[in-house]
Amino acid sequence: EDGYIRLYDANFKLLNKNKTTGGSDLYSLAFSPDGRLLALGYEDSPTVQVLDASTLRFRYTVDMTGNTENGGLDILTFSADGFQLVAGGSFQKYNNGKSWFQMRLWNEQGKGGYTDLDAGQNTIMDTKALPGGGFVYAGTFPDWGSIDAAGKRLRYVGSDVLDYATNDKSQFRLGSGGMEVSVTSSGGLPLRFDLPKRQLLESASVFPAAATDRNGLQLSDWLNNTNPKLNGKSLSLLEQYELCRSAAVATGGTGIVLGASWNLYCADASGNLRWKQPVPGTTWCVNIDPTKQVVVAALGDGTIRWYRFRDGKHLLTLYIHPDRKRWVLWTPGGYFDCAPGAEDLLGWHVNQGADHEAAYYPLSKFRDRFYRPDVIDRILETYDEDLALQDADAARGKTSSRSTLLDELPPSARILSPVEGTEISSTKITLAYSLQSPNSEPITGLRILVDGRPIANGRGFKPLGQRLEEPIEVPVANCTVSVVAENRFGASEPATLRLFWKKTAAAPTTGVDIRPKLYILSIGVSKYQNTDMKLDYADDDAREFAALLQKQKGSSSSLYSDVQTRVLLDEAATKESILDGLQWLEQETTSHDVAMLFFAGHGVDDRNGNFYFLPATADPAALKRTGVAHGDVQTTVASVSGKIIVFMDACHSGSLMRPIGTARGEMLPEIAPVVNELISAENGAVVFCSTTNRQKALEDSAWGHGAFTKALLEGLGGKAFSPGTKKITVKTLDAYVAERVKELTGRQQTPTTAYPPNVPDFPVSYGN
């Protein structure tokens, strides 16, 4: 701050001191690897200087041509060999209508020519040299990437949070009781989340925006200022240097709320502080619901948070992924609800002492305990998490566990060899790995998977911390190999590596057709014994799904060497026949094959949240005896050796589609836990689901099918081609079905496709 640079030895003894000359606000320092040079970057000047690192005397200034912004390039790093100097910061250029924040790379330790490159979407805050040349960098978008020694960007990873930083606060709207929130994020696109229905909609809300002037209270000079005013009088609420970013006046003039850089403030009508709540990101938008029960804030960390108006107590958090499909809702205590495929977006960070890296456990590892949509439902009724939990436990007749999270941790696995990215030329390799388990809990199971499918299963004791080896067989192709361990509390995150088939290596010749076989179990129930459950097109959906894929059989150019189907329709779809079909699918499918399970009909939750597929003979009052439990499906999915895709159209509307034992009235089953269980690494299914949570699956005579199956048949029939090919992959089919269902239903139905973390994209059919 005084404009001097000081050099100290390892004992913090001052060795040298010199006045800087490139500016008055020195921002960053970077030593060359040999310790002879010191580069300086300034916040108030577009200057980068290089000094002698011992004497602190000026050596030279680097070329800053075109950088006219003060402090535009002020984050500095030398390359590992010391030959190059790189800088990041707030310097930006507009290329093809898009703003990119730049990095500049100089040769000859900053004395040579430079290369500018598009690096990130916001200020570049840090760079590090890579041992083999090049750099990694991080920006505040938040984003990160890497570049090579020639200045070519090798990798760019964009932000996983929506940006709510907008000066148009009028788009942040809030329904009564905080039950619905509407916001505009980066790009100006509106989003609306209906909390009771758990629906994420791409439309603006009709609810009121935040008011800053009503009932005799007027807030002024608040936007981007440190000294907001109430009725012309300065409010001494904010911390030093803190900026006010958002503001709202409560209905009836009963108080105000200010959202700032580090805190959320609530004051009474005279400007006296009621409460102050620290926030994990800048409070870009804030609003108070009309009933004055909650304050809702959109923050810089990409979350929307609900706080109790009377005392600022944090109640609930919503994270919406930038794909605008996945979301997670959670309470401060960790009880959550989420969209299908969203469980692993959040988790617990667990410190393990100063000498070990922290551990991360995604939500999925504690699904049985913390997946509680019933608690979320009651949060904005009780405005108290403890009361919401008590009410939810009373309704289900079961008390929640009070043990600590640290007592119930799953194990972890680590692959020791081969290393990530190894090239292989043989289908037989030796996999070396080690296992760890918190609290020394015994390992009770082990799975080794290739491309997400099991090739080895082990039960019983496995030693901890030792090098273990297993010979395995991999395909003649690029693939992923994963290790998943289990203890009594659950399965580990998969330890996964990618292997690449050496291009010059010849594939083994066998003289037999090496194409996979396709096995399909297709179930459709329209005619139930309980006539109240009748549907119109579920049987047609299952019949035509199997018939369409049967056409993949026969020709030498087909994707599959054979297609075998088992189709169960209406009265043929009994519990016994469905279980027999699942067993057939498990027994017939080899590791080289593909299995597909299609179900169209009704699905229902019991009072404990257990999901059942309903066969034709199902009695909703006797689900254990007459329904097909999701656990039976999950066991089959986990045991099938080949790739497996599950197509679920089990959320049709109807008065029986509610948790058994609840009050009468339509309540569709919670489909997210079913999907999330199937896509977990240890089960490894790709799941196509007709809806998101609490949403009807629609059917119409104009389509002759449900909307989901209509789109699915079109996509598999050829409309979901990969560009330039006739190949239809899982991801191209997903893209087509998602948009087509929304188009058919006027955006009333939103299908979901979820992928396991260790299963790559793969072809499912060739179009005609």
Side-chain angles (χ1 to χ4, degrees), residues 646-729:
V646 178
F647 299 91
M648 290 177 51
D649 196 1
C651 296
H652 294 277
S653 60
S655 60
L656 288 173
M657 296 306 97
R658 54 189 168 84
I660 301 301
T662 64
R664 190 166 182 82
E666 191 171 277
M667 176 64 83
L668 293 161
E670 301 285 354
I671 205 67
V674 179
V675 175
N676 290 331
E677 177 76 21
L678 293 176
I679 68 167
S680 61
E682 61 270 27
N683 295 323
V686 176
V687 181
F688 285 75
C689 188
S690 60
T691 66
T692 57
N693 268 5
R694 304 187 182 185
Q695 196 179 61
K696 299 176 185 178
L698 303 177
E699 52 182 20
D700 194 292
S701 59
W703 313 324
H705 291 286
F708 173 68
T709 303
K710 168 73 172 173
L712 194 59
L713 294 175
E714 290 178 353
L716 289 169
K719 292 189 176 181
F721 287 144
S722 294
T725 74
K726 285 193 173 184
K727 187 183 294 184
I728 296 165
T729 72

Side-chain angles (χ1 to χ4, degrees), residues 202-459:
E202 295 179 343
S203 60
S205 172
V206 297
F207 293 111
T212 56
D213 183 2
R214 66 177 168 195
N215 301 111
L217 298 184
Q218 182 184 51
L219 288 167
S220 60
D221 299 330
W222 56 268
L223 184 59
N224 302 328
N225 284 325
T226 59
N227 190 27
K229 296 181 175 62
L230 176 61
N231 293 339
K233 180 183 177 182
S234 294
L235 293 167
S236 301
L237 299 176
L238 276 61
E239 294 182 13
Q240 188 177 15
Y241 307 121
E242 190 175 22
L243 292 172
C244 184
R245 300 292 194 175
S246 53
V249 174
T251 55
T254 54
I256 64 167
V257 172
L258 301 177
S261 305
W262 311 312
N263 299 285
L264 184 64
Y265 300 88
C266 181
D268 62 21
S270 299
N272 300 310
L273 182 66
R274 282 180 176 165
W275 50 262
K276 172 184 174 182
Q277 183 69 263
V279 289
T282 301
T283 312
W284 293 116
C285 302
V286 71
N287 205 338
I288 307 167
D289 93 281
T291 65
K292 300 184 287 295
Q293 294 293 330
V294 291
V295 175
V296 182
L299 304 180
D301 69 342
T303 64
I304 297 173
R305 299 185 180 229
W306 281 253
Y307 300 88
R308 200 158 60 193
F309 178 62
R310 69 174 183 265
D311 58 8
K313 185 177 178 62
H314 180 206
L315 298 173
L316 192 62
T317 304
L318 169 66
Y319 166 71
I320 301 172
H321 191 274
D323 64 15
R324 296 169 174 260
K325 296 178 181 177
R326 291 176 290 168
W327 52 264
V328 186
L329 270 169
W330 73 98
T331 69
Y335 299 105
F336 74 94
D337 193 4
C338 66
E343 264 188 346
D344 288 349
L345 295 175
L346 261 70
W348 278 268
H349 169 111
V350 180
N351 287 326
Q352 302 186 106
D355 56 344
H356 289 87
E357 74 275 22
Y360 172 76
Y361 297 94
L363 297 178
S364 58
K365 300 308 169 189
F366 307 98
R367 181 188 305 118
D368 291 346
R369 176 172 171 183
F370 287 102
Y371 178 75
R372 295 295 301 272
D374 54 343
V375 175
I376 302 291
D377 285 337
R378 291 164 170 82
I379 286 288
L380 296 187
E381 295 174 358
T382 62
Y383 300 101
D384 184 284
E385 183 177 8
D386 290 338
L387 288 177
L389 180 60
Q390 291 172 22
D391 288 355
D393 282 351
R396 70 175 187 165
K398 182 179 178 181
T399 302
S400 298
S401 170
R402 300 298 178 183
S403 61
T404 69
L405 188 77
L406 297 178
D407 294 331
E408 300 179 357
L409 295 176
S412 61
R414 176 170 292 177
I415 295 177
L416 304 177
S417 71
V419 299
E420 167 70 16
T422 296
E423 274 196 336
I424 57 174
S425 55
S426 171
T427 58
K428 298 183 184 300
I429 66 170
T430 298
L431 182 71
Y433 59 93
S434 65
L435 309 174
Q436 297 291 341
S437 190
N439 306 321
S440 298
E441 280 286 338
I443 300 295
T444 58
L446 178 76
R447 309 194 95 200
I448 297 175
L449 308 104
V450 173
D451 288 337
R453 302 313 306 154
I455 62 168
N457 292 301
R459 292 288 168 189

Side-chain angles (χ1 to χ4, degrees), residues 31 35 70 158 172 369 384 462 509 526 644 691 712 722 729 761:
F31 281 99
N70 287 342
F172 190 64
R369 176 172 171 183
D384 184 284
K462 295 288 181 182
T509 56
S526 293
I644 182 164
T691 66
L712 194 59
S722 294
T729 72
D761 192 20

